[in-house]
Amino acid sequence: MGAPVQPADLLAVAIEAATIAGDHALHNVHRRHEVAERFAHDVKLKLDLECQATAEQVIRAHYPGHQLLGEEGGRFEESADVLWIIDPIDGTVNFLHGLPLWCCSIAVRVGGRIVAGAVYLPSMKETYAARLGGPA
């Protein structure tokens, strides 16, 4: 068993994944009407699926053994020591309507406790992040 992962390292990856996935959505905003599924009060866009896959690739490049749970699906074991939680386009309806208030949100749970998270707003190029034992 290797050394435990540090919240600062996890936060750096969360920021990287949120930024890359969010920028993918922003650069493809012209495709915001490509719908994968419609629901009574929500919609799943093709870009939701793509951005989740993009975030997952970044995380897996750093931590291939970690579990992933995304809003757009994913299989994980509840007992997983480390779990990444991804909302690739948080505010999909705003994104669909061309409003700038949407983001990519990523958190990581270790031992049942959230230890780091990042929220990236691509339209505004702003990132909000926090980690256990550090500033927010």
Side-chain angles (χ1 to χ4, degrees):
M1 182 180 286
V5 290
Q6 297 300 311
D9 296 332
L10 295 169
L11 180 58
V13 174
I15 291 169
E16 179 185 356
T19 301
I20 291 171
D23 283 344
H24 177 76
L26 184 63
H27 292 115
N28 287 280
V29 72
H30 62 281
R31 297 178 43 224
R32 71 180 183 266
H33 296 291
E34 294 179 9
V35 173
E37 286 184 80
R38 285 196 187 277
F39 305 96
H41 299 286
D42 200 7
V43 64
K44 183 184 295 187
L45 303 177
K46 289 181 181 178
L47 281 170
D48 279 311
L49 300 169
E50 289 175 20
C51 290
Q52 180 168 315
T54 299
E56 289 177 357
Q57 284 179 324
V58 172
I59 294 164
R60 290 217 187 280
H62 293 277
Y63 300 108
H66 288 184
Q67 301 275 319
L68 301 168
L69 171 63
E71 184 178 22
E72 309 315 321
R75 295 175 51 104
F76 70 99
E77 296 176 23
E78 187 58 41
S79 62
D81 186 47
V82 180
L83 177 66
W84 293 82
I85 304 158
I86 305 165
D87 189 343
I89 301 179
D90 192 353
T92 302
V93 173
N94 282 354
F95 180 81
L96 176 67
H97 291 295
L99 300 173
L101 297 178
W102 57 274
C103 59
C104 180
S105 302
I106 299 179
V108 61
R109 183 185 82 178
V110 177
R113 184 176 188 189
I114 300 295
V115 299
V119 175
Y120 173 60
L121 289 84
S123 297
M124 299 174 186
K125 296 292 184 206
E126 291 186 20
T127 302
Y128 301 91
R131 67 172 170 85
L132 187 66

